């Protein structure tokens, strides 16, 4: 990662928020080591006291894992914050340029949805960092849940205003270029709403206050509904255009956006189910979680195969990742890798283990977990590679790759 980040001026694009998003996602993936590999009785997530107890009583191998998890969370949280601060500064300055007005007049206006998407990730990452690094935080967590709901609701309203401005323009004045919508770039809006939903659903899975759970469940359901509706429209329109015009070369990574969408939507649904179970006696068994996760993983594999087929036929990796060509849209490849790692961890621990298909910490368990860790390693490599290529130069002219 460069010591100093460039001032891009007119060359800036909101797609750079995906760089911060990817770093935040990797921080979450390290948190899952602690969530699934150390005991945390009394709450659904590990806190500082749980980790300290496990470290004091554990073997050298367990201590090494904890140290690695803490280092990963700390490093990628700081990287996320650094990239968010840089992006916000660049974005504020860029809004005063002609490039911003040009973006708002075409299909690419929905790229602005990457801003609330990254902001929602910031709240998630901040909460995780608080759990791990602030002793005693769980004792006041019931006071923090309403603040988290307000924060996510505010980000959700911002996202609604952005998509409302876009839809209001194209549905009253027209101008949406269907021929140039040959990607899944419009599905990014659905990913944003799903990220807001998963944040809003967190208090439902952790709070002991029925009102907090009810508000969390209701608000997250609203944004999940928005995510599903917007995503369905975006997939149909994008697929229709790609069948006629072929996939946009530089926006091809957007074909994989369904993968992170499925992960965050699935976690939101599981959080909601836990809240209903804990406060309203709506009981969902291990088989229900296993079924949901299996369906989500199947969807991810299918869209992954579709996206990789197109990327391979276009020679995308050789051109934009390992080759000399550059496109900011390449950052969209980080999220699917992280999302697969995260969902696989849930599938293994909340699916396969819970229905007794495999035993926790058995050889089969670690074989499946190795696949999740491989996707995590891939996401880290992508972040390092892309940051060194796109953010090391003092200036540049990154390619804007909206679906327009």
């Amino acid at each position: 990662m460069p010591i100093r980040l460039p001032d891009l001026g007119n060359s800036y694009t909101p797609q750079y928020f995906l760089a911060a998003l990817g770093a935040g996602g990797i921080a979450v993936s390290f948190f899952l080591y602690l969530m699934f590999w150390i005991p945390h009785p009394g709450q659904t997530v590990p806190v500082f006291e749980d980790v300290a107890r496990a470290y004091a009583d554990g073997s050298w191998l367990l201590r090494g894992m904890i140290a690695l998890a803490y280092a990963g969370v700390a490093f990628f949280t700081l990287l996320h914050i650094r990239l968010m601060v840089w992006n916000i500064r660049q974005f504020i300055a860029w809004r005063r340029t002609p490039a911003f007005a040009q973006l708002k007049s075409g299909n690419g206006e929905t790229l602005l949805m990457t801003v609330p998407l990254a902001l929602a990730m910031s709240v998630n990452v901040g909460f995780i960092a608080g759990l791990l690094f602030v002793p005693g935080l769980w004792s006041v967590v019931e006071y923090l849940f309403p603040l988290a709901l307000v924060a996510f609701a505010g980000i959700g309203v911002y996202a609604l205003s952005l998509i409302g401005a876009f839809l209001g323009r194209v549905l009253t004045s027209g101008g949406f270029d269907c021929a140039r919508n040959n990607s899944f770039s419009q599905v990014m809006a659905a990913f944003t709403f799903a990220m807001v939903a998963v944040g809003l659903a967190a208090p439902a899975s952790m709070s002991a206050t029925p009102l907090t759970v009810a508000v969390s469940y209701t608000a997250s359901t609203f944004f999940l509904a928005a995510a599903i509706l917007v995503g369905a429209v975006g997939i149909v329109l994008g697929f229709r255009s790609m069948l006629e015009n072929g996939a946009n070369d530089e926006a091809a990574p957007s074909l994989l956006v369904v993968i992170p969408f499925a992960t965050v939507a699935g976690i939101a649904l599981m959080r909601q189910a836990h809240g209903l179970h804990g406060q309203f006696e709506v009981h969902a068994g291990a088989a229900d979680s296993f079924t949901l996760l299996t369906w989500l993983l199947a969807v991810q594999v299918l869209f992954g195969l579709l996206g990789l087929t197109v990327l391979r036929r276009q020679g995308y990796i050789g051109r934009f990742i390992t080759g000399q060509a550059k496109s900011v849209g390449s950052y969209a490849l980080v999220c699917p890798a992280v999302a697969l790692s995260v969902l696989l961890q849930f599938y293994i621990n909340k699916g396969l283990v819970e229905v007794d298909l495999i035993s926790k910490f058995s050889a089969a368990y670690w074989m499946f977990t190795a696949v999740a860790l491989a996707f995590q390693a891939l996401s880290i490599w992508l972040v390092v590679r892309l940051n060194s290529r796109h953010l090391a130069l003092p200036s540049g002219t990154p390619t804007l790759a909206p679906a327009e």
Side-chain angles (χ1 to χ4, degrees):
M1 184 71 190
I3 297 176
R4 298 185 61 184
L5 298 177
D7 181 5
L8 298 179
N10 287 344
S11 298
Y12 178 78
T13 163
Q15 285 175 301
Y16 275 111
F17 275 99
L18 296 178
L21 179 72
I26 295 173
V28 173
S29 70
F30 276 104
F31 172 73
L32 295 185
Y33 292 11
L34 306 171
M35 181 171 176
F36 292 128
W37 298 347
I38 68 169
H40 43 88
Q43 66 277 333
T44 57
V45 291
V47 297
F48 176 86
E49 289 76 12
D50 297 315
V51 181
R53 184 168 51 251
Y55 188 88
D57 300 336
S59 64
W60 66 268
L61 190 60
L62 180 63
R63 290 182 177 185
M65 180 277 291
I66 291 173
L68 176 61
Y70 260 71
V73 171
F75 177 82
F76 284 101
T77 295
L78 292 174
L79 179 59
H80 170 78
I81 294 171
R82 183 187 181 197
L83 289 171
M84 282 299 294
V85 171
W86 174 79
N87 266 289
I88 291 171
R89 288 176 175 173
Q90 293 289 306
F91 181 71
I92 291 173
W94 176 75
R95 282 175 59 93
R96 297 190 291 267
T97 68
F100 175 71
Q102 180 182 3
L103 183 76
K104 292 213 31 140
S105 65
N107 294 10
E109 185 177 0
T110 51
L111 285 178
L112 296 174
M113 293 292 283
T114 57
V115 182
L117 174 62
L119 288 172
M121 177 60 80
S122 294
V123 180
N124 282 318
V125 171
F127 188 72
I128 285 173
L131 291 175
L132 296 184
F133 291 97
V134 180
L137 185 68
W138 195 257
S139 63
V140 297
V141 74
E142 290 293 346
Y143 299 100
L144 298 179
F145 287 144
L147 297 178
L149 290 173
V150 170
F152 280 113
I155 295 170
V157 170
Y158 176 41
L160 287 171
S161 70
L162 292 176
I163 199 67
F166 170 71
L167 292 176
R169 174 175 63 83
V170 298
L171 293 179
T172 56
S173 303
F176 186 79
D177 192 340
C178 291
R180 301 185 67 183
N181 185 42
N182 50 340
S183 70
F184 282 169
S185 293
Q186 300 300 324
V187 184
M188 188 62 68
F191 184 20
T192 299
F193 287 132
M195 184 67 74
V196 173
V198 76
L200 285 169
S205 68
M206 292 182 274
S207 177
T209 304
L211 180 60
T212 300
V213 173
V215 172
S216 171
Y217 179 87
T218 303
S220 59
T221 298
F222 174 82
F223 283 99
L224 266 179
I228 293 170
L229 290 172
V230 171
V233 172
I235 289 173
V236 171
L237 290 178
F239 213 90
R240 166 66 179 82
S241 181
M242 285 188 289
L243 288 175
E244 182 176 357
N245 305 290
N248 182 301
D249 279 2
E250 294 188 41
S254 68
L255 296 177
L256 300 173
V257 73
V258 175
I259 295 176
F261 169 81
T263 292
V264 294
I267 294 174
L269 290 170
M270 293 184 67
R271 286 175 169 179
Q272 288 183 336
H274 191 277
L276 293 176
H277 171 78
Q279 296 298 326
F280 303 113
E281 298 184 1
V282 178
H283 302 292
D288 297 296
S289 296
F290 174 69
T291 300
L292 172 64
L293 291 167
T294 301
W295 272 94
L296 292 172
L297 188 60
V299 169
Q300 289 184 325
V301 170
L302 289 170
F303 275 94
L305 292 173
L306 171 66
L308 291 176
T309 297
V310 175
L311 292 173
R312 181 179 60 82
R313 293 291 293 268
Q314 292 179 339
Y316 187 93
I317 302 300
R319 293 163 58 198
F320 296 107
I321 305 299
T322 60
Q324 298 302 312
K326 290 192 293 184
S327 172
V328 184
S330 300
Y331 277 106
L333 293 174
V334 178
C335 294
V338 175
L340 277 169
S341 176
V342 169
L343 192 73
L344 281 170
Q345 289 274 29
F346 274 88
Y347 185 68
I348 295 162
N349 292 277
K350 295 297 184 181
L352 299 178
V353 171
E354 291 294 323
V355 296
D356 296 323
L357 286 176
I358 62 174
S359 299
K360 194 161 189 176
F361 304 140
S362 64
Y365 178 91
W366 290 117
M367 286 177 61
F368 284 110
T369 300
V371 180
L373 298 181
F375 279 112
Q376 183 193 42
L378 174 61
S379 66
I380 293 172
W381 178 81
L382 283 169
V383 164
V384 172
R385 174 71 178 176
L386 293 174
N387 284 349
S388 65
R389 298 195 69 209
H390 290 268
L391 299 178
L393 298 177
S395 62
T397 54
T399 303
L400 180 65
E404 61 177 5

